[in-house]
Each structure stands twice: as C-alpha cells, then as structure tokens.
Amino acid sequence: MIVLKNVTLRRSAKVLLDKVSVTINPGEKVGLVGRNGAGKSTLFGLFNGTLHEDGGDFSRPAQWRLGQVEQNMPETEDSATDFVLGGDTRLMELKEILNQAEHGSDGMAIAHAYSDLADAGEHDAVPRAQALILGLGFKTSELDAPVNSFSGGWRMRLQLARALMCPSDLLLLDEPTNHLDLDALVWLEAWLKRYAGTMIVISHDREFLDAVTGVTLHIENQGITRYGGNYSAFETQRAQQLELQQASFSKQQDKIAHLQKFIDRFKAKASKAKQAQSRVKALERMEKIAPVLADADFTFEFKEPANLPNPMLAITNGQFGYTVDGERKTIVAGVNKSVLAGERIGILGANGQGKSTLVKTVARDIPALGGTITEGKGLKIGYFAQQELDVLHPTDNPLEHMTRIARDVGPPAREQEIRNFLGTFNFSGEMVKQAIGTMSGGEKARLVLATMVWQRPNLLLMDEPTNHLDLATREALSMALNEFEGTVMLVSHDRALLRAVCDEFWLVGRGVVSPFDGDLDDYQKYLLDEAKRLREVAKADAAEAAVATKIVAVQAQPARSAATFTSKETAAKLKPLKKEREQAEKRMGELGADKSALEARLARPLPAADMAEAGKRLKAVNDELHALEERWLALAGEIEAIEAPA
C-alpha cells in the first residue's frame, strides 16, 4: 500500500501539503481533486519518485511497477505501433537480452530469453499495442505512420497508449481525457475499469471520475481528506461535512461570546477574578473551528444578443468536407437542417465522422463543398475552436489582445473598461500584462471565452471548449450557456456539460447528419457498437490489403521472357520450380511444428543442459524458416512470371 504519514511537501518556499497522513490500498482506484495550484501534480511527483517529502514519511512498495503518461511531446520517426510497443519496458528489455544471447550463440541464455518473452506476452504484444491505438481513435491506416506525422493532440494520445501498454502495479494519470473525443473516452473508461492495479487519476471530468474511481482524495488548505466513493459521493459527503462544520462553528461562537461576556464583566472584581481567569484559560485551550468560507468560484455570463434572427441559419443539401491539393474529400452529404433561435444542440459522432468539419463550415472557417447555408439577418457567431488556444499570439498579453479585439471587431472601449472586463475573467492586477505564451491552458481558454463574450454573439459554436478547464470553470461555463439567450451548438466529450446544456442532439456518422433520439447513455452504447463495427471493417480491409501486398510482391519479382517459351519449354521450366516450392512448403510445415513444440518445451521447467540445447535448436529453426520463406516468395515470383500470358 501507499502510506503518507505526517508528510510535508513544498514547492520552493510555498508549503502545499502540511503534515498530511493518508493510506491508499492495493487495487484502489483513486480520484485526486482540488483547485488548480492546490498540490495535485506535486503529490504525483512524490508518488512517481521525482520529488521527495520535505517532512514526515512516505512509502510505496519497492516492487511495484509504475505506469504514467509522459508529459513531453514525443519526437520520433518510429511508427505509432513501435512507439506504443516501446511502452512495454519489460518486453523491450527481454528482446535486447535475446538479441545479445543470439549474437553470442549462448544456448542457455537464448532458451531463458524465449521462456521469459513467452511469459511477458510477446506473442500478442503487437495486437495489444494496436488495440490501444485504435481504441484511442486512430485509423487502421495510421498504425504504421511515423509519430512525427501526427499533430500534438494525437501524439499525446500515443503517449497515453504507451502508458497503458506498460505492465504496471501503479498507474498515474494526469488529465488523461484532455485530448480525447467522447468515443475514445468511453473506450478508455472501459479499459480502466478492467485495470487490475492501483490507479490514481487527476481529472476535471466529473462523469469520468464517477465511472472509474471508488475513492476520492481532496486537497484543500494544505491538507488531504479521504472520502469513500466516486466524485459525486465526495460532493455529497463534503456538503454534509461543511453544513455540520458551519453548525459547529456557530455553536462555538455562541460559547465564546458567553465566556468573553463573563470575562469582561467580572475581570475587574476581586471576588470573581479566579472565575474570570479560569474562563480566559478555557478560551485559550479551546480548539477553534474554522468558519466555512464561501469559495470564490469563477462565474461569468454571455451578454444579451443585440438581435435573435429566426431561423439562425438553414442548411440545404449541404456537403461538408475539405480540399487537399485540389482534391475534394466529402465527409458528410445531403444535410438539410435548420437552426432556430434559442436551441441547444449537442453534436455527437464517433471520431473522424465529421463533427468538427460541420462546425468549422457553419463558422465560415472552411467553405461548404456543396449545397447552401442561408444565414439569418444579423447572425453573429462566437466560435470556440479546438485549435483556438494555439492561435493566440504568445507575445501578446490579455490587455493587448482584448484591445485589438475591441478595435478590430468591436464594440470599441477605453482601456479601463477593458481592464474591468478582464477582471471578471480572473485576469486582474499584473496578469493583464502577462505574456499569453507563459499562461496555462486553462488561462488561455478563459481568455478565449472572454473574447467570445466581448463580441456579443447570438450563435455560439463550441468545439471541445472544456479541454483545459478545471471543474469550477466548467461549472461556470455550464451556467453561462444555460442562461445565454441565443443559440448553442456544442461538440464536447464532457458529458456533464452536454447533459446540463443540450436539449437535442444531432448525430454525425456514416456520411449523414441525423437526429439522435436517445440520451447520452444510449449514445455511449452506440459508440461501443460503432467501434466494434469499425474494428470488423478494419480487419477485413487489413486482410484484403495483405492479399494485395503479397500479389504485388510476387509480381515485383524479376520477370522471365515468357513470350519466347514454347509449351514444352514452359513445362520444363516450371517442373523443377514447382517441385522446389512443394518441398519448401513441406519443410516450412515441419519447421513450424518444430518451433511450436520447442516453444512449448521451453515454457516448462527443464534441466539446464536441455534448456540450452532447446534454445540453440529454436534459433536454428527460426533462421531456417526465415530463409525458406524468402526462397518460397522468390519461387512464387518466378512461377508467376513464366505462367503469365505473353
């Protein structure tokens, strides 16, 4: 188990945790929650060994293997499959041991390595790695693509897959859902529910925490409180505790007032001096109950739109997609939809089906490939794009950014008005002069929200707006969207936000946009069924591609001048080649059986000499089998060339 006993943790001079004690038992799934800056990531540093306690005692079983998502952006030309496979550190170590043993012709070492590789699951390692990659939203065609060919968000998904690939007893996940679509999130939840080790996760997604955790650790006021149950249970228990604390505080204040009144009345009277002094001591000894201070939660609101066109827009026979190198790629077609004033539309769909493409087209970010989009008179769009945080000018500060928006887009305003407005988004004091490039993702997201509010839109298009927002800011966004008088179209993997805001859903999938009549629980089932369907399609495509590749490989062999052969010459040429091919196939079958038998033998306890002999024999079988496979392919090419018509 993990034990903290009177642990103190500092970051520089600041004390984040002061003499905290808590225990995490093997196999528990723990949600770590608290405000930004409370010390969650610092505590992760203690768990993974990059930081050490400044006081007290911390212990974690020495034999526990650790899995965690690396926060650096991977830079490598390795394929996605090889990169994720590298997360299985035990397998990589054993492959290197086998390589060294084979170079040294050490039969005993070879035998041990093969036995250990079998125990480590080498036989299905590649399928396991690829299942993780596909589960997190990648296409089958991307399995062999270089890591560097993917955008930052997708590379971080590969880092997550690599962490899940690592055999671990303790899994640390810091905001694992930030770069995921809802279909990938549903898959991840299912995977984590099956995880057998101890897991500690930091997340601002309440439904994700509810789904995968059974214990909650809350960091507040330099302390840690352990709650049994998921995030919703924690909220209920904490509310009850705060209510009880407030009642106890009020009762104690009454008692303090009574004691103080007696002291004030009688401290000057000699006959009452002793009693007054005893009450002074009682007051000093009393352990003070802290008042329940109202959290200074972040709140904001969208301004009332200047007008509300109805309908906001109408799409007639819309075709949505994109153009690359002059080639049009249609993703969604035949869209006939109207968006009315005041509607709250959630846009659902599996990864890659066209949700963001639809939103980008409505936002005028990319053109429609066909059909018409008719906008209502006075339509004013506020667009929160997934990449919006990346296009903020890093050298600007919030004041410069908002001043430019006020000047170029409007409405115009004086500097003090802009400063006051930024203050409502928690950009106060010197923060208005802080370079945007040095800000956290959450701070940048708040600045984008401020930009939208300033422009006073009547249609909000929001594509994954919560990726960098903490729970308090997500709650503020939910309240602001509910009170907004205009129209909302929302793409999000945050189910709590979708449930709170949307009253109808559009489903983007299989090339069309259709109404989705179920709720989000029905949608999760749809996603799992759709993922299963896509896996089956991918398997069929892969099998078809493998056949095509073999045909191409055979045809690529050097051709003979078949046109000059007579039928007798052809038969004479083919006979020895076909005979050799048959012999190769027979021998390959024998070697395959030998290989299976040797691997099964090495999986059992053997005397040292027998194990060494079996290891040497297995290497020889593998070498001969590889050579025969190469020869078979060459023979097939020659036979194909001779049999080809002139």
Side-chain angles (χ1 to χ4, degrees):
M1 64 179 64
I2 297 173
V3 179
L4 284 75
K5 188 174 181 181
N6 294 321
V7 165
T8 296
L9 272 180
R10 292 186 178 88
R11 263 296 168 90
S12 300
K14 185 180 180 183
V15 176
L16 294 176
L17 296 174
D18 188 23
K19 297 179 181 176
V20 299
S21 297
V22 71
T23 299
I24 299 172
N25 298 306
E28 286 187 326
K29 308 293 189 295
V30 180
L32 186 59
V33 301
R35 289 187 167 279
N36 285 348
K40 301 187 295 294
S41 296
T42 301
L43 187 57
F44 258 36
L46 180 67
F47 291 150
N48 66 24
T50 58
L51 295 175
H52 298 282
E53 63 272 28
D54 296 292
D57 297 302
F58 166 75
S59 64
R60 189 190 88 196
Q63 73 276 16
W64 275 14
R65 298 165 297 176
L66 177 66
Q68 63 179 338
V69 181
E70 297 294 335
Q71 295 303 308
N72 62 298
M73 191 68 67
E75 295 284 349
T76 175
E77 290 299 321
D78 288 349
S79 71
T81 297
D82 288 343
F83 178 73
V84 172
L85 199 60
D88 192 335
T89 51
R90 174 63 177 157
L91 200 61
M92 295 302 104
E93 289 170 4
L94 291 172
K95 283 189 172 185
E96 181 57 30
I97 289 170
L98 174 62
N99 185 48
Q100 292 175 4
E102 288 181 339
H103 274 89
S105 299
D106 186 338
M108 176 66 76
I110 292 170
H112 275 300
Y114 272 111
S115 177
D116 290 342
L117 280 166
D119 291 341
E122 184 204 20
H123 65 286
D124 66 348
V126 170
R128 281 189 289 118
Q130 294 184 339
L132 291 171
I133 297 168
L134 296 173
L136 289 173
F138 291 82
K139 300 182 181 72
T140 309
S141 58
E142 295 172 326
L143 291 171
D144 295 320
V147 171
N148 283 349
S149 68
F150 296 103
S151 66
W154 288 94
R155 278 191 258 176
M156 290 311 295
R157 291 195 195 202
L158 289 174
Q159 285 285 38
L160 174 57
R162 187 178 169 99
L164 300 182
M165 187 70 190
C166 178
S168 62
D169 304 291
L170 173 62
L171 182 60
L172 301 178
L173 298 175
D174 190 349
E175 294 291 358
T177 68
N178 267 2
H179 300 282
L180 303 184
D181 297 312
L182 188 49
D183 48 339
L185 177 53
V186 170
W187 176 88
L188 178 62
E189 284 179 1
W191 194 96
L192 292 176
K193 286 175 183 176
R194 298 192 301 270
Y195 177 67
T198 303
M199 180 183 75
I200 307 174
V201 57
I202 297 172
S203 178
H204 291 120
D205 186 327
R206 62 177 61 230
E207 293 214 13
F208 174 72
L209 288 171
D210 277 352
V212 303
T213 66
V215 174
T216 301
L217 298 183
H218 181 225
I219 301 180
E220 185 181 43
N221 300 326
Q222 301 177 331
I224 298 179
T225 306
R226 177 186 164 109
Y227 294 84
N230 60 18
Y231 186 82
S232 292
F234 148 72
E235 279 194 318
T236 301
Q237 293 173 57
R238 183 163 181 262
Q240 292 169 346
Q241 285 185 1
L242 291 175
E243 187 178 352
L244 181 62
Q245 181 181 336
Q246 186 60 43
S248 300
F249 172 75
S250 299
K251 189 174 180 181
Q252 187 180 68
Q253 291 303 300
D254 290 341
K255 186 174 182 180
I256 289 171
H258 179 75
L259 289 171
Q260 191 64 51
K261 188 176 180 181
F262 185 94
I263 293 165
D264 293 342
R265 281 179 61 195
F266 298 113
K267 63 183 178 183
K269 292 186 180 181
S271 59
K272 296 287 187 180
K274 274 193 174 182
Q275 292 95 320
Q277 191 60 36
S278 69
R279 281 161 175 75
V280 170
K281 289 180 179 177
L283 205 56
E284 291 171 349
R285 286 196 303 270
M286 188 180 294
E287 188 173 336
K288 301 296 189 296
I289 298 171
V292 176
L293 300 176
D295 289 335
D297 283 334
F298 167 63
T299 60
F300 73 99
E301 62 181 9
F302 290 96
K303 298 174 183 178
E304 181 183 350
N307 64 328
L308 288 174
N310 197 20
M312 289 276 175
L313 57 89
I315 305 170
T316 306
N317 198 28
Q319 295 183 44
F320 302 146
Y322 50 88
T323 303
V324 179
D325 297 329
E327 184 179 346
R328 291 153 56 98
K329 171 70 174 175
T330 301
I331 300 176
V332 181
V335 180
N336 293 284
K337 288 284 186 184
S338 292
V339 179
L340 305 179
E343 285 189 317
R344 303 285 191 274
I345 302 167
I347 301 175
L348 308 177
N351 176 59
Q353 295 297 301
K355 301 187 300 295
S356 292
T357 302
L358 171 63
V359 172
K360 284 179 181 178
T361 308
V362 173
R364 315 175 190 124
D365 213 31
I366 57 175
L369 298 184
T372 58
I373 300 177
T374 306
E375 297 183 352
K377 185 178 180 181
L379 179 68
K380 193 165 187 180
I381 294 174
Y383 179 35
F384 190 114
Q386 285 196 58
Q387 69 275 17
E388 192 72 18
L389 275 61
D390 298 327
V391 299
L392 290 169
H393 297 179
T395 57
D396 278 0
N397 59 49
L399 183 58
E400 291 168 337
H401 172 79
M402 289 306 303
T403 300
R404 186 174 61 254
I405 295 295
R407 183 188 67 236
D408 298 344
V409 182
R414 297 189 306 274
E415 181 179 314
Q416 191 56 50
E417 288 179 274
I418 295 173
R419 282 179 176 271
N420 293 342
F421 174 76
L422 284 169
T424 65
F425 282 83
N426 286 356
F427 295 107
S428 55
E430 289 304 308
M431 273 200 75
V432 299
K433 294 291 188 73
Q434 181 181 339
I436 292 171
T438 65
M439 290 180 171
S440 68
E443 288 166 338
K444 291 177 184 176
R446 271 193 279 117
L447 186 57
V448 173
L449 288 173
T451 304
M452 293 175 67
V453 170
W454 183 267
Q455 295 175 56
R456 205 171 172 181
N458 48 32
L459 172 61
L460 294 175
L461 300 175
M462 312 202 81
D463 191 357
E464 296 292 359
T466 64
N467 275 354
H468 298 279
L469 302 183
D470 60 21
L471 280 160
T473 311
R474 290 182 186 210
E475 188 67 28
L477 176 61
S478 176
M479 291 173 62
L481 291 176
N482 274 323
E483 293 169 6
F484 177 56
E485 295 183 16
T487 298
V488 178
M489 297 176 72
L490 174 64
V491 176
S492 179
H493 68 257
D494 188 326
R495 287 154 296 177
L497 184 66
L498 287 168
R499 290 184 205 275
V501 172
C502 301
D503 47 31
E504 69 171 294
F505 295 106
W506 292 359
L507 179 62
V508 182
R510 305 191 190 185
V512 298
V513 179
S514 56
F516 187 79
D517 296 327
D519 59 17
L520 286 176
D521 294 326
D522 297 322
Y523 177 57
Q524 286 188 209
K525 183 177 183 303
Y526 162 83
L527 284 175
L528 293 171
D529 291 342
E530 185 70 1
K532 183 179 179 183
R533 183 187 74 83
L534 291 173
R535 282 197 300 272
E536 289 170 354
V537 169
K539 281 182 185 175
D541 289 347
E544 198 173 304
V547 171
T549 300
K550 182 173 282 189
I551 291 171
V552 169
V554 168
Q555 292 175 341
Q557 297 296 322
R560 308 282 180 176
S561 54
T564 61
F565 293 156
T566 65
S567 58
K568 285 185 178 179
E569 288 173 331
T570 299
K573 289 279 185 182
L574 285 173
K575 186 175 180 180
L577 294 175
K578 286 186 174 180
K579 183 176 181 181
E580 186 181 353
R581 184 177 67 178
E582 288 171 8
Q583 291 172 338
E585 287 171 348
K586 181 181 178 182
R587 181 58 180 155
M588 284 162 64
E590 293 170 352
L591 289 169
D594 287 349
K595 180 180 179 181
S596 297
L598 286 165
E599 286 175 344
R601 190 179 181 204
L602 285 167
R604 300 192 301 269
L606 289 174
D610 291 351
M611 182 173 283
E613 178 58 33
K616 287 179 181 177
R617 176 64 185 146
L618 183 58
K619 182 180 185 302
V621 166
N622 278 330
D623 289 345
E624 187 180 351
L625 192 56
H626 179 72
L628 275 171
E629 287 170 348
E630 291 290 323
R631 180 57 185 156
W632 182 92
L633 189 61
L635 288 166
E638 290 184 48
I639 292 168
E640 178 78 13
I642 293 171
E643 290 181 335

